[in-house]
């Protein structure tokens, strides 16, 4: 009887060992249920689309381009990209007055002037009529504004080149050397865009 019991225990032990080995082999062959980085990207299309939509910019281009209008541009777009999207310049466009390398901002307005809209002395026809378009004005035009000398004019242009066009008059407060008093004097003299 003891002999039979030992035989059965030995057989049971071998059976259990075989089951354990079989269990591990089956689990090893099963594909993993964890999400890999690639599966995460493809399994979340809505979030990816949201991110790409957030990185889009709406830019309004006017003036001497083939198809003026509002364009949806990628976040790394430059003025040149917007001009290209608008079909390029017309034959009357004064390309020298546009900074094609400038980065675009959301809600930006780009106005491409005609040849002759800017006078040889650096002043535009519009500034002779009244307000100075601060986003497009030359250093000389900006210096004609009340309370603005050469250093403040350079600071305005430098800010414009680094951060893009001014969206509202109050943005001028971000320029070094311009405070509330100067801004009050400028409000009636400048135009944005």
């Amino acid at each position: 009887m003891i002999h039979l019991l030992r035989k059965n225990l030995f057989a049971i032990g071998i059976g259990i060992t075989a089951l354990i080995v079989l269990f591990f082999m089956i689990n090893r062959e099963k594909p993993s249920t964890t999400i890999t980085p690639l599966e995460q990207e493809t399994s979340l299309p809505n979030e990816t689309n949201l991110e790409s939509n957030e990185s889009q910019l709406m830019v309004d281009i006017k003036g001497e381009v083939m198809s003026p209008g509002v364009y949806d541009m990628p976040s790394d777009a430059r003025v040149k990209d917007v001009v290209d999207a608008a079909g390029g310049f017309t034959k009357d466009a004064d390309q020298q007055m546009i900074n094609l390398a400038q980065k675009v901002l959301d809600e930006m307005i780009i106005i491409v002037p005609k040849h002759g809209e800017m006078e040889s002395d650096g002043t535009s026809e519009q500034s002779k009529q009244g307000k100075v378009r601060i986003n497009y004005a030359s250093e000389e035009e900006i210096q004609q504004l009340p309370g603005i000398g050469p250093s403040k004019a350079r600071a305005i242009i430098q800010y414009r080149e680094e951060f893009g066009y001014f969206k509202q008059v109050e943005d001028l407060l971000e320029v070094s050397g311009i405070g509330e008093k100067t801004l009050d004097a400028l409000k009636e003299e400048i135009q944005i865009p």
Side-chain angles (χ1 to χ4, degrees):
M1 176 102 163
I2 295 178
H3 188 279
L4 187 60
L5 186 60
R6 279 188 190 166
K7 238 185 194 184
N8 285 341
L9 283 177
F10 181 72
I12 291 173
I14 290 177
I16 291 175
T17 305
L19 285 175
I20 292 172
V21 169
L22 185 62
F23 174 77
F24 282 114
M25 287 178 66
I26 290 172
N27 280 339
R28 188 178 295 171
E29 290 175 10
K30 272 188 181 177
S32 173
T33 57
T34 59
I35 298 176
T36 63
L38 179 61
E39 289 173 335
Q40 285 177 340
E41 286 179 21
T42 57
S43 67
L44 302 173
N46 292 340
E47 287 182 20
T48 305
N49 289 343
L50 287 176
E51 286 174 16
S52 64
N53 286 342
E54 289 174 6
S55 66
Q56 294 292 314
L57 307 173
M58 297 298 288
V59 182
D60 188 2
I61 186 164
K62 303 174 184 297
E64 296 304 310
V65 289
M66 299 305 281
S67 299
V70 177
Y71 290 88
D72 192 15
M73 302 300 296
S75 62
D76 61 347
R78 304 286 178 149
V79 170
K80 180 189 181 313
D81 300 323
V82 182
V83 170
D84 291 344
F89 293 111
T90 66
K91 62 181 171 55
D92 295 328
D94 190 351
Q95 298 178 34
Q96 300 300 316
M97 301 312 300
I98 301 294
N99 179 0
L100 294 173
Q102 182 178 6
K103 291 181 180 179
V104 297
L105 302 171
D106 193 32
E107 301 176 14
M108 183 177 189
I109 297 174
I110 301 168
I111 301 174
V112 180
K114 278 185 182 180
H115 282 289
E117 282 185 346
M118 298 299 277
E119 302 297 323
S120 60
D121 64 357
T123 59
S124 70
E125 192 176 297
Q126 183 169 1
S127 65
K128 287 183 177 180
Q129 295 172 359
K131 297 185 177 189
V132 172
R133 290 172 53 206
I134 199 72
N135 284 327
Y136 305 99
S138 67
E139 188 173 331
E140 292 79 23
E141 285 181 288
I142 295 171
Q143 287 181 41
Q144 302 303 312
L145 293 168
I148 303 294
S151 63
K152 284 184 184 176
R154 278 191 298 277
I156 289 171
I157 290 174
Q158 181 180 356
Y159 182 90
R160 194 172 68 191
E161 288 172 353
E162 287 180 26
F163 301 102
Y165 291 139
F166 298 99
K167 291 183 180 180
Q168 55 191 5
V169 175
E170 290 75 20
D171 291 346
L172 283 165
L173 291 173
E174 300 295 322
V175 177
S176 175
I178 297 186
E180 291 286 344
K181 214 175 206 183
T182 305
L183 184 65
D184 287 340
L186 295 176
K187 280 184 179 179
E188 297 303 316
E189 304 293 326
I190 63 173
Q191 177 182 343
I192 296 176

